[in-house]
Amino acid sequence: MSAGAEAVIPILRVTDAAAAVRWYERLGFTLEWEHRFEPGFPAFVEVGRGSVRLFLSEHTGDAGPDTLVYLRVRDVDAIAAEFGAKVEEAPWACEIELRDPDGNRLRIGTPTT
């Protein structure tokens, strides 16, 4: 993503950024960067999948638990197979819902139209 590009990037609260990054890698995300003010301080990381970005923060005030993020993908069946999830058909998409290790909810869907 270029420096001048506009985007909305959800921030999700995590307790262990390294463990969260490993979980999000299973969804096809890769670690873009990590920041800590000092060694041993909470981590703030960015993961990306194509043009999609998420911030994962160990900082307690950055986000609340049980956040819901919708992720539109080309092939929800592949992700469902990776996580052993059952795909549900809605009028607008085929979807699954997953929870990351910190309880954040991801509704993931492939549009049907």
Side-chain angles (χ1 to χ4, degrees):
M1 180 179 297
S2 66
E6 293 184 354
V8 173
I9 304 175
I11 300 173
L12 301 176
R13 172 78 170 95
V14 298
T15 55
D16 180 339
V21 167
R22 287 190 300 275
W23 191 87
Y24 280 89
E25 286 174 341
R26 292 179 62 200
L27 284 174
F29 285 86
T30 58
L31 176 65
E32 299 289 326
W33 51 261
E34 177 179 330
H35 170 69
R36 293 177 191 266
F37 285 104
E38 292 183 26
F41 275 42
F44 190 92
V45 303
E46 179 180 317
V47 293
R49 175 190 162 116
S51 63
V52 176
R53 299 288 179 271
L54 293 172
F55 289 152
L56 307 176
S57 177
E58 292 179 350
H59 296 267
T60 57
D62 279 351
D66 201 36
T67 298
L68 173 62
V69 173
Y70 195 94
L71 178 62
R72 184 175 287 157
V73 299
R74 288 185 186 92
D75 186 6
V76 71
D77 293 319
I79 295 171
E82 169 67 24
F83 286 87
K86 183 178 183 295
V87 176
E88 302 289 335
E89 291 190 36
W92 53 88
C94 293
E95 299 178 328
I96 61 172
E97 187 164 307
L98 302 174
R99 285 191 180 264
D100 75 9
D102 294 286
N104 296 299
R105 296 179 301 144
L106 285 92
R107 192 167 298 147
I108 303 166
T110 298
T112 53
T113 57

